[in-house]
Amino acid sequence: MPHMLIGRDYGDLDQLDVIDADLAGPGPGEVLVSVRAAGVNPADLKKLAGQFGRSDARPIPMGMEMAGVVTAATPGAAGPAGPIEVGDEVLATGVSGAFASDIVVAASKLVPKPESLEWEQAAGLLLTGTTAWHLLEATKVSAGDRVLVHGASGAVGVAAIQLARARGAEVVGTASPRNHALLERFGATPVAYGEGLADRVRAIWPDGPTVALDTVGTDEAIDVSVELVADRARIATINGWAKGAEAGILMLGGGPGADPGTQIRNDARLALVELAGAGELEVVVGATFPLGQGREALELVATGHADGKIVILP
């Protein structure tokens, strides 16, 4: 019988449990996917805590992105790249219940998995990739820009570095010193966060950055961004909701008052798959966990020091 990681109720990680799942067959426009890997994200913690709203349905399915093999498909099932058939290797984000051995998914959410990607990489591509894409689109990053990325060694930060560099921008990224080599590998100049950050960035760019992307939501990240970037329409955060609203910068994602960028993110999926398949966008996998250790995977993500994408292998 299929099994899945769920929340018995909204709350903290104590609510998590692995249960048997009695899945209904796919309905019109849906497919059944055997999950090979599922990406773990801070958004999973927010969902469990009820920060995206609370429904009356219990249990709460966990996991928002995955990669796997189609095992059943209804007639006419199709995604952005065309018809979907049994045996297709696919990936998706924006699903519910990805931390599972099997999942029924709307075909419209599925895109083809590049043959060159391992399952773990494929499972971690889309949510962070579309988030990074949204950051760059919203702030209009282009050739010649100087882009400051806060939390640059995280999964979104690493994607943002690569995508910004591909657009011809220079990048400075904040990270702890132990992760500076990773940033350098992707073409960013690393700086340590903490006291004196603004001065360290000015030492690299005397005229300051033209864009700042905050992936961590700390007061320091937003304060330094506002100090260094003249145009607040070119400062964006995906986490610092209260501080971001106060500062008058762009707020992106699923937080209160934030722009979800649904169309931008949906349109980015095939482009991201193409880049990753061509080896031009790398997903750095930090650690993998079996489904039975899903709590440990989420605990690691909660620390903010995962050092790459965390993936559950059902």
Side-chain angles (χ1 to χ4, degrees):
M1 177 174 282
H3 47 279
M4 63 188 301
L5 180 70
I6 54 91
R8 293 184 299 275
D9 204 342
Y10 292 101
D12 60 20
L13 296 178
D14 289 337
Q15 296 292 339
L16 294 176
D17 200 4
V18 176
I19 64 169
D20 291 333
D22 186 13
L23 290 179
E30 294 180 332
V31 301
L32 179 66
V33 178
S34 174
V35 179
R36 300 299 173 85
V40 186
N41 299 279
D44 297 310
L45 297 162
K46 295 175 182 178
K47 178 180 179 179
L48 182 62
Q51 293 181 25
F52 297 143
R54 301 186 177 212
S55 73
D56 294 331
R58 303 291 189 278
I60 301 158
M62 297 296 297
M64 300 181 182
E65 66 174 342
M66 61 84 204
V69 179
V70 175
T71 54
T74 53
I84 296 175
E85 301 176 347
V86 171
D88 285 350
E89 296 183 347
V90 294
L91 57 153
T93 187
V95 304
S96 181
F99 299 160
S101 59
D102 301 88
I103 183 175
V104 174
V105 183
S108 61
K109 293 185 178 292
L110 298 173
V111 295
K113 183 186 85 69
E115 291 184 8
S116 59
L117 286 191
E118 300 293 336
W119 288 111
E120 295 89 341
Q121 294 174 309
L125 171 65
L126 286 184
L127 197 152
T128 53
T130 56
T131 300
W133 191 285
H134 188 194
L135 282 165
L136 270 65
E137 284 290 297
T139 54
K140 300 178 172 60
V141 172
S142 62
D145 270 321
R146 301 182 299 276
V147 181
L148 174 62
V149 179
H150 296 280
S153 63
V156 175
V158 167
I161 290 171
Q162 295 176 77
L163 294 172
R165 293 286 294 147
R167 294 186 179 204
E170 298 178 31
V171 180
V172 166
T174 72
S176 63
R178 65 190 176 89
N179 289 319
H180 284 188
L182 175 67
L183 273 56
E184 290 173 336
R185 179 158 73 87
F186 291 113
T189 301
V191 295
Y193 52 78
E195 185 176 354
L197 173 58
D199 290 335
R200 288 191 290 278
V201 175
R202 286 194 188 96
I204 300 167
W205 289 329
D207 293 332
T210 56
V211 176
L213 310 177
D214 167 37
T215 74
V216 291
T218 62
D219 286 355
E220 175 190 70
I222 294 176
D223 287 341
V224 168
S225 297
V226 169
E227 179 181 347
L228 295 177
V229 178
D231 185 355
R232 296 196 183 189
R234 306 198 77 193
I235 305 172
T237 183
I238 59 170
N239 277 310
W241 313 126
K243 188 79 172 178
E246 178 185 315
I249 63 175
L250 299 179
M251 298 186 294
L252 311 179
D259 171 18
T262 303
Q263 193 62 51
I264 290 173
R265 295 183 186 218
N266 284 343
D267 291 346
R269 292 175 297 171
L270 291 178
L272 290 166
V273 166
E274 182 177 352
L275 288 169
E280 297 173 12
L281 177 63
E282 180 180 341
V283 177
V284 177
V285 176
T288 61
F289 293 82
L291 187 62
Q293 294 180 13
R295 173 174 179 149
E296 288 82 349
L298 285 159
E299 285 175 338
L300 179 54
V301 169
T303 67
H305 300 288
D307 292 347
K309 191 75 179 187
I310 304 305
V311 176
I312 287 176
L313 304 176

